[in-house]
Amino acid sequence: MGEVDPAFIQDPEHRPKLSATEAEGIPLIALSPLNSSDNISDPKAIEGVVREIGNACKEWGFFQVINHGVLLDKHKKIKAAARKFFAQPLKEKRKITRDEKSLFGYYDTEHTKNVRDWKEVFDFTVEEPMLMPASIDPEDKEETKWTNQWPEYPPELRVACEEYTEEVEKLALKLMGLIALSLGMPGDRFTSYFKDQTSFIRLNYYPPCPSLQLALGVGRHKDSGALTVLAQDEVVGLEVKRKRDGEWIQVKPTPNAYIINVGDISFWSNDRYESVEHRVLVNSERGRFSIPYFVNPAHYTLVRPLEELAHEQEDPAKYKPYSWGKFLSHRKLSNFKKHNAENIQLYHFRVSE
Ligand code: OGA
Ligand code: NI
């Protein structure tokens, strides 16, 4: 990637303050009790962990987990393959560029002019094929299948991605169980939503950037799904907006930890938990890799505050129901349209007060 595009400079969101507060970090939670009881069916054994997760979701919307049981060598393999993939010339990588027909694959900032982040991306679905609505028309009940594009090089990338997915999926679903428990619901409350999950995984590469004040790796945003399980490397960059005072807080890399954040679908909890803004700063000397797993429900899920948490009288539902699949396809397809309209966001479904 070459010079900074002037488009980066005009947008104040792309002009980070360089002095983020480092005083207090997001909570670090050890999941070791889950490894010994092996599942979440014994509430007593994991009470402490559930409480920590509940507090972290409420106060930060973010936390890190260690002793999570994900096999380190699967993580090493996917990272090594990702490095090889991104090290290729643009021309090679662009052979599998995302387009209107293949919604997963590669893209870079220079190619997609409406995306102004300083990064390159390769993404793929967790379930292949991924079941989705055929159109964004709310009346249309037809389904379609979204598939992946795999690069020729490196040949081991596909297997590395598939093996990694299998590992992290277990952690992701376990965490959804712990979150359900922390809201006073049964541990399997969310299980059925993930049967035909529309989750996807992204390999992010943030190349070294010559102009720290002018660009961001990713501008501030919230994740739209249920949960994100992120592996980051040792290069700092991720910052989280602290709910308490709106300060940007750096997430210091902890070896072998995963960073977890609740997405917009946490309004399942009727605002007990809320998604939180975060962003990624660029680094002038070192490229940075990260691998988020965006945990999303089946497309036919009607997302709305759960009945047991939104009682008509005391705590009426704060959001209108929406179809997750229609929302996601709208989002994905709008990447390929010249749109002046604001990107669809969760708060469009908020009931005004
Ligand atoms: C994202 C994101 C953070 C990171 O891709 O949504 O927030 O550290 N990534 O790469
Ligand atoms: Ni994000």
Side-chain angles (χ1 to χ4, degrees), residues 159-171:
V159 171
C161 288
E162 287 168 352
E163 289 183 3
Y164 179 78
T165 302
E166 215 175 289
E167 276 297 302
V168 184
E169 184 178 12
K170 287 184 263 177
L171 172 62

Side-chain angles (χ1 to χ4, degrees), residues 24-35:
E24 192 195 348
I26 61 172
L28 182 69
I29 302 176
L31 297 183
S32 358
L34 292 184
N35 302 339

Side-chain angles (χ1 to χ4, degrees), residues 119 202 204 206 218 221 223 230 232 238 278 280 288 290 292 294:
K119 67 171 181 178
R202 186 170 281 168
N204 283 319
Y206 303 96
V218 194
H221 68 283
D223 296 345
L230 175 103
Q232 68 168 344
L238 177 61
H278 51 286
V280 178
R288 176 173 180 270
S290 74
F294 298 104

